[in-house]
Amino acid sequence: MTTKAPFGSAQAPRPVKVPVEDTRHGTTRTDEYAWMRADNWQEVFRDPARLAADIRAHLEEENAYQAQLMSDTAGLREALFSEMKGRIKEDDSSVPMKDGPYAYGSSYRMGGQQPRYFRKPAQGGNEEILLDGDHEAEGKPYFQLGGIDHSSDHKRLLWAYDDKGSEFYTLRVRDLATGAELADSIESTGGGGTWAADNNGFFYTLLDDNHRPSKVFFHQLGDDTANDRLIYEETDPGFFMSVGGTRRNDWIMISISDHETSEYRILNAADPLGTPLLVAAREAGIQYDLEEGGDIFFVLTNEGGARDFKIMTAPVSDPVRANWTELVPHQPGRLILSIMGFRDYLVRLERLDGLPRIVVHERATGEEHAIAFDEEAYSLGMAGSYEYDTDVLRFSYSSMTTPAQVFDYDMRTRQRTLLKTQEVPSGHDADAYVTRRLMATAPDGEAVPVSLLYRRDTPLDGTAPCLLYGYGSYGITIPASFNTNCLSLVDRGFVYAIAHVRGGKDKGYSWYDDGKRAHKQNTFRDFIAVAKHLVDEGYTSHDRIVAQGGSAGGMLMGAIANMAPEAFGAIVAEVPFVDVLNTMLDASLPLTPPEWPEWGNPIASEEDYRTIAAYSPYDNVGAFDYPPILALAGLTDPRVTYWEPAKWVARLRDTKSGDNPVLFKINMDSGHAGASGRFSRLEEIAYTYSFALKATGKADVKPAT
């Protein structure tokens, strides 16, 4: 395989090898780059300056190498950034959502990187800025706002921020009458909190040194944080935990779950010092979510074999599992994704035949009706409501050709009110583009959905380059939604494609089950099958396909690179989870125990060890003629630690055949989400797209107008 546009001949970094052996289940593996993992990695997450000098020197050498090979794309990156920025309404504002006497929303100022949060009188009046993200971010190389929650009496704001990229959030409380910060400040939280009924204190999760939300505390305003009361402690490191409230301000809900099992403990919001009530004890494989409903809870669950979920009700006076009553039965193939309760209605978001729809259930009569749309592929989401006693539901809609729209929907009259359509200041002619829904056949005969976007004048004779995106893990579905950024590729003749591979829930819960643990290889085979289908149908050619994925999707990129390097013209792996076996063998890492249900536990199970070892990208690097590869990472990433892609890149260079380059770009000031700030993020996307254009020989192509 040869590149269409030479990347140059700069000397790639060649880090030292320090072999470290590890023997498990009778098998010994050698990791020559284990030294790249800092011994003090927990400290580095909190303070990147603590990184060892030799590791920092290597990472900076990697950045210098990729900068040299990509130096000729500086003008292209500037053009791409300008185009993408031109499609953003710089002073954009959300549609305020009513909550009693006020309506709350967010907005940006011209040139601003961070959002501002505001409110205005619900009946009309002047806008009041409650929190200015640009002001809070001043002087910080990284800044990300977390959860923001106004008190039900509208007097205070509970807000969180992370200024390292490590997702250890600091909680603050602001007096909305004066704008002053109260003395209450709590570090190392999960990123949000929820108010008690009297608004004089709040609940929050505290992260331990391994970045796990292991404890829920209650903080009384004005009190020393040392006196915060422990409400609940989760001792199993394999479970995530969060705390939230209800719109009626009557319950505090502690949600505890891994990827296949869940448990709730609830507390009367008016009794913050009470003891949480266990609703239904965790049982392996049984999932349930609670939603408020006045004198009942709605329960979304898979218990009783309801693989695609059903809805039950439970009395708030005694909501234990024995008292659950079926309301909406299980229907195989109809996956219920989420529910939202109102005084007179229950609303559910579900996916049927691969497409989402919203169904409104009238509580008094049981009558139901659906909100659906007619395009081949689209994205639909419930934005919900701050209020419980209302007939109005807010939802959003978009497709790959239709800019995002926000509607208010009167559930009683069934009238839709269009509140906002996403503006594209530089212009957008939807008729110039085509969106399609294809089905590719996997090796085992399964039909894999593919969402496509391309210009109507793009020749479909195999000459078009293609960016093929995939994820395929945790049951996450990648929506076929409007994306102004990818238009910079599409306007240069690219076909933009999303492969809805197994591991997501695109075709129901079974689509997820068939792409995890022992069945994980289906995810990779599906993606390769999609690439082949696009070639067979004349949309592109193999040497013109740029594969892209991030996080667990980055693992997908590493796997398909080893399995079918000849099927792709280039590969972009963002914050890639590529050292799967070593990570799952280390129970001290932030996400390892909670991830065992998704990947398997190779410590306890030899079968799981063999399964992961068979596809783990780092462990399967070979002497293959890989296409050009770009890996991107963040130093303070607690989800995919920086050393995973660093090691992978080093081993790729040392092992591969051919002359195609492997580039590694690491942001030394950010974590899993990349650069903070909306324009800084666009610069990263422009870099990635310039790599895709360069790798496919299209760096000099001007966008169609």
Side-chain angles (χ1 to χ4, degrees):
M1 179 178 291
T2 58
T3 62
K4 290 182 172 296
F7 276 79
S9 57
Q11 182 61 47
R14 292 288 182 179
V16 299
K17 299 179 183 180
V18 183
V20 175
E21 290 189 347
D22 181 75
T23 301
R24 310 288 180 114
H25 306 293
T27 298
T28 298
R29 294 175 305 119
T30 300
D31 187 350
E32 63 274 27
Y33 300 113
W35 64 268
M36 293 185 184
R37 167 181 163 164
D39 292 336
N40 64 335
W41 57 267
Q42 291 104 327
E43 295 177 5
V44 173
F45 283 168
R46 296 176 185 271
D47 182 4
R50 302 293 297 274
L51 183 66
D54 59 337
I55 300 175
R56 180 177 295 278
H58 171 66
L59 298 179
E60 289 175 347
E61 187 180 0
E62 288 283 7
N63 273 338
Y65 173 67
Q66 57 81 16
Q68 184 172 352
L69 291 193
M70 292 291 288
S71 61
D72 61 340
T73 65
L76 174 59
R77 278 178 271 158
E78 186 176 336
L80 291 167
F81 173 77
S82 179
E83 291 167 18
M84 291 186 285
K85 186 177 179 183
R87 299 188 193 105
I88 293 176
K89 180 175 167 51
E90 287 200 41
D91 57 349
D92 200 10
S93 177
S94 70
V95 181
M97 186 177 286
K98 183 178 178 296
D99 186 13
Y102 294 100
Y104 290 81
S106 63
S107 65
Y108 287 89
R109 61 164 56 89
M110 290 294 293
Q113 290 262 34
Q114 300 285 344
R116 300 179 299 175
Y117 290 85
F118 69 85
R119 71 181 177 189
K120 57 173 50 176
Q123 304 306 315
N126 294 329
E127 188 176 287
E128 174 189 3
I129 300 297
L130 306 178
L131 182 68
D132 185 336
D134 286 321
H135 174 74
E136 302 300 334
E138 283 182 10
K140 297 180 174 67
Y142 180 92
F143 183 82
Q144 183 69 44
L145 286 167
I148 295 175
D149 186 23
H150 60 269
S151 58
S152 60
D153 60 8
H154 307 280
K155 293 181 178 179
R156 300 184 182 97
L157 191 73
L158 182 61
W159 64 285
Y161 69 89
D162 167 24
D163 59 7
K164 300 289 191 303
S166 58
E167 300 178 45
F168 284 102
Y169 286 85
T170 299
L171 270 177
R172 301 300 306 271
V173 181
R174 178 165 297 188
D175 185 312
L176 294 181
T178 66
E181 297 294 334
L182 303 188
D184 310 81
S185 179
I186 303 172
E187 297 183 348
S188 300
T189 76
T194 190
W195 292 99
D198 64 4
N199 299 303
N200 288 321
F202 57 85
F203 300 83
Y204 64 93
T205 56
L206 191 71
L207 304 184
D208 62 20
D209 287 340
N210 284 12
H211 209 275
R212 295 175 186 142
S214 57
K215 297 178 181 179
V216 172
F217 284 94
F218 174 72
H219 174 74
Q220 188 75 35
L221 289 182
D223 202 358
D224 190 317
T225 56
N227 298 327
D228 289 357
R229 180 174 183 266
L230 178 64
I231 300 298
Y232 179 75
E233 179 175 5
E234 177 53 52
T235 57
D236 188 333
F239 280 78
F240 298 101
M241 183 166 61
S242 63
V243 62
T246 57
R247 282 165 292 140
R248 297 176 75 239
N249 301 306
D250 49 357
W251 294 101
I252 301 300
M253 296 188 178
I254 301 173
S255 171
I256 307 161
S257 65
D258 62 15
H259 293 296
E260 59 185 22
T261 302
S262 54
E263 178 178 281
Y264 271 81
R265 294 171 185 265
I266 60 175
L267 183 67
N268 190 317
D271 183 20
L273 301 183
T275 300
L277 169 70
L278 174 63
V279 175
R282 67 193 71 172
E283 181 179 330
I286 302 299
Q287 301 176 52
Y288 69 97
D289 280 317
L290 291 185
E291 170 62 12
E292 63 188 312
D295 59 347
I296 63 170
F297 289 120
F298 295 107
V299 186
L300 176 62
T301 182
N302 67 347
E303 71 93 28
R307 196 177 194 187
D308 288 320
F309 290 79
K310 61 185 176 181
I311 303 173
M312 314 283 278
T313 62
V316 298
S317 57
D318 192 11
V320 297
R321 188 167 161 185
N323 294 334
W324 294 1
T325 302
E326 185 174 273
L327 178 67
V328 178
H330 175 241
Q331 178 181 318
R334 178 196 65 187
L335 179 62
I336 303 177
L337 300 167
S338 62
I339 58 177
M340 190 167 190
F342 296 88
R343 186 193 63 188
D344 297 327
Y345 302 94
L346 170 66
V347 183
R348 66 180 186 265
L349 176 65
E350 62 186 32
R351 184 173 292 111
L352 184 66
D353 298 325
L355 289 175
R357 66 176 186 172
I358 294 172
V359 178
V360 178
H361 174 102
E362 187 172 5
R363 294 177 63 173
T365 65
E367 182 181 355
E368 294 188 348
H369 68 274
I371 309 171
F373 292 82
D374 299 326
E375 292 189 80
E376 283 190 37
Y378 58 85
S379 174
L380 191 62
M382 291 195 299
S385 170
Y386 281 129
E387 298 180 325
Y388 174 82
D389 186 4
T390 180
D391 293 338
V392 178
L393 168 74
R394 183 163 293 178
F395 71 88
S396 61
Y397 171 86
S398 77
S399 76
M400 296 179 81
T401 57
T402 304
Q405 297 174 321
V406 178
F407 293 87
D408 267 354
Y409 181 76
D410 190 308
M411 294 179 281
R412 194 170 302 280
T413 67
R414 305 189 184 183
Q415 293 297 308
R416 303 180 192 179
T417 302
L418 177 62
L419 302 176
K420 178 184 177 181
T421 298
Q422 179 183 353
E423 292 184 46
V424 183
S426 60
H428 177 67
D429 178 9
D431 291 337
Y433 303 91
V434 177
T435 183
R436 294 289 314 279
R437 184 83 157 181
L438 307 179
M439 290 291 178
T441 303
D444 62 356
E446 282 284 0
V448 183
V450 190
S451 298
L452 292 186
L453 175 71
Y454 53 89
R455 283 187 66 90
R456 199 172 295 277
D457 56 6
T458 298
L460 303 180
D461 58 3
T463 62
C466 172
L467 190 140
L468 177 58
Y469 184 86
Y471 187 75
S473 292
Y474 305 117
I476 293 173
T477 297
I478 304 300
S481 55
F482 190 64
N483 175 0
T484 60
N485 296 329
C486 72
L487 296 178
S488 284
L489 291 180
V490 172
D491 286 345
R492 286 174 170 81
F494 268 69
V495 173
Y496 183 83
I498 302 172
H500 302 281
V501 295
R502 275 174 280 188
K505 293 177 183 172
D506 306 75
K507 294 177 67 176
Y509 200 86
S510 63
W511 202 244
Y512 172 38
D513 271 348
D514 289 345
K516 65 187 289 193
R517 296 192 72 158
H519 307 294
K520 191 63 207 171
Q521 297 273 10
N522 285 333
T523 303
F524 318 138
R525 295 175 184 135
D526 286 357
F527 192 85
I528 296 167
V530 169
K532 182 177 186 300
H533 184 74
L534 292 175
V535 172
D536 291 345
E537 294 297 310
Y539 286 99
T540 187
S541 298
H542 282 297
D543 63 347
R544 292 173 170 85
I545 299 177
V546 180
Q548 182 186 25
S551 195
M555 176 202 64
L556 168 61
M557 295 300 101
I560 59 103
N562 292 330
M563 294 170 67
E566 73 287 346
F568 305 95
I571 293 174
V572 177
E574 299 177 294
V575 290
F577 178 37
V578 284
D579 195 12
V580 185
L581 187 55
N582 279 323
T583 294
M584 288 298 103
L585 284 168
D586 188 346
S588 73
L589 292 173
L591 295 184
T592 292
E595 298 293 273
W596 285 331
E598 180 76 14
W599 313 107
N601 182 347
I603 299 174
S605 166
E606 182 176 354
E607 182 180 0
D608 287 350
Y609 181 96
R610 306 292 177 205
T611 296
I612 297 171
Y615 68 77
S616 176
Y618 184 60
D619 294 279
N620 288 278
V621 168
F624 309 127
D625 187 6
Y626 291 96
I629 293 175
L630 170 63
L632 302 108
L635 177 61
T636 55
D637 186 348
R639 299 172 185 263
V640 177
T641 50
Y642 73 86
W643 58 83
E644 292 203 30
K647 291 166 53 180
W648 179 54
V649 165
R651 182 172 280 183
L652 279 168
R653 285 207 202 101
D654 188 56
T655 310
K656 72 181 183 68
S657 63
D659 298 324
N660 290 321
V662 180
L663 282 65
F664 182 34
K665 184 176 188 290
I666 180 166
N667 191 324
M668 303 298 282
D669 295 311
S670 76
H672 197 66
S676 61
R678 55 178 177 161
F679 299 134
S680 296
R681 178 58 184 151
L682 288 185
E683 290 174 345
E684 290 191 341
I685 296 171
Y687 177 93
T688 299
Y689 283 2
S690 69
F691 172 84
L693 288 159
K694 182 178 176 70
T696 53
K698 301 294 183 181
D700 296 327
V701 174
K702 303 301 180 186
T705 57

